[in-house]
Amino acid sequence: MNRPVTWGKPLVEYGKTAEDDAAPAAFKQMPVIEEGTALLTTVKGSANELYGEGHELIARKMQKSYRQFAMSVFIPSGEEDPIPDDDGVINDEYCVRMTPEDDTLEGFIMRKCSVEVEEEWSSAKGRQLKYIFSSLKPKTGKMIERYTKAVAPGS
């Protein structure tokens, strides 16, 4: 049986996090993303461990993990950068959402993120910006939430 898979060319949209850590009213689309660079990873929380004599582990508690969503985008000559920075520093918090190529399938949204940017250039690809969105805990809800594009009535 063929099961739906959320791979392929994603639609990545972003915007400044709104009041009370809500998603923005309007999103902008990221420029063309380099193939194979859009990647969501988990940064595992550290462990607090308690040891007894003889280095015997007697208790262990994990800290919460967070997510990072990274991608490299092509920036044609003369075009503005998608997210303004000051020498790589982005002071505002942003929301990012990813919709899979098959937009009836589940993607994700991170409503509150710190964002890093790294500028890259090569003779093979030209100028690129690598954006890294790190999830922050919003006032309500989870750091990453499932997202499915709304289906239009009658479709």
Side-chain angles (χ1 to χ4, degrees):
M1 178 192 333
N2 232 354
R3 295 181 189 252
V5 179
T6 60
W7 60 12
K9 181 179 178 181
L11 170 63
V12 177
E13 299 167 294
Y14 67 96
K16 283 187 183 177
T17 298
E19 191 173 329
D20 290 328
D21 300 338
F27 284 85
K28 295 179 183 176
Q29 186 174 334
M30 268 294 175
V32 176
I33 299 170
E34 181 182 2
E35 184 175 26
T37 66
L39 179 65
L40 177 69
T41 57
T42 298
V43 178
K44 193 173 177 180
S46 59
N48 291 335
E49 298 176 332
L50 184 60
Y51 291 91
E53 284 297 330
H55 199 70
E56 295 171 338
L57 182 62
I58 57 172
R60 186 170 200 258
K61 182 179 180 181
M62 289 298 300
Q63 301 295 318
K64 288 187 178 183
S65 300
Y66 66 96
R67 307 301 191 286
Q68 285 189 323
F69 185 48
M71 74 214 68
S72 291
V73 297
F74 294 106
I75 306 295
S77 182
E79 284 198 16
E80 293 288 319
D81 295 353
I83 300 175
D85 69 282
D86 185 10
D87 292 328
V89 175
I90 298 170
N91 291 318
D92 294 316
E93 292 170 345
Y94 278 81
C95 173
V96 64
R97 73 179 176 196
M98 188 284 296
T99 304
E101 186 171 3
D102 180 345
D103 66 8
T104 64
L105 300 179
E106 197 171 78
F108 61 84
I109 185 168
M110 298 189 310
R111 293 181 286 125
K112 184 178 180 182
C113 298
S114 66
V115 185
E116 303 168 44
V117 63
E118 299 170 4
E119 187 168 6
E120 304 168 336
W121 183 90
S122 74
S123 58
K125 298 176 187 174
R127 183 170 180 254
Q128 291 181 280
L129 294 175
K130 180 179 182 180
Y131 285 103
I132 303 165
F133 292 82
S134 296
S135 62
L136 302 172
K137 178 69 176 152
K139 289 183 180 177
T140 61
K142 296 186 178 271
M143 288 187 267
I144 186 168
E145 298 167 334
R146 294 176 182 185
Y147 167 79
T148 304
K149 189 173 181 178
V151 178
S155 348

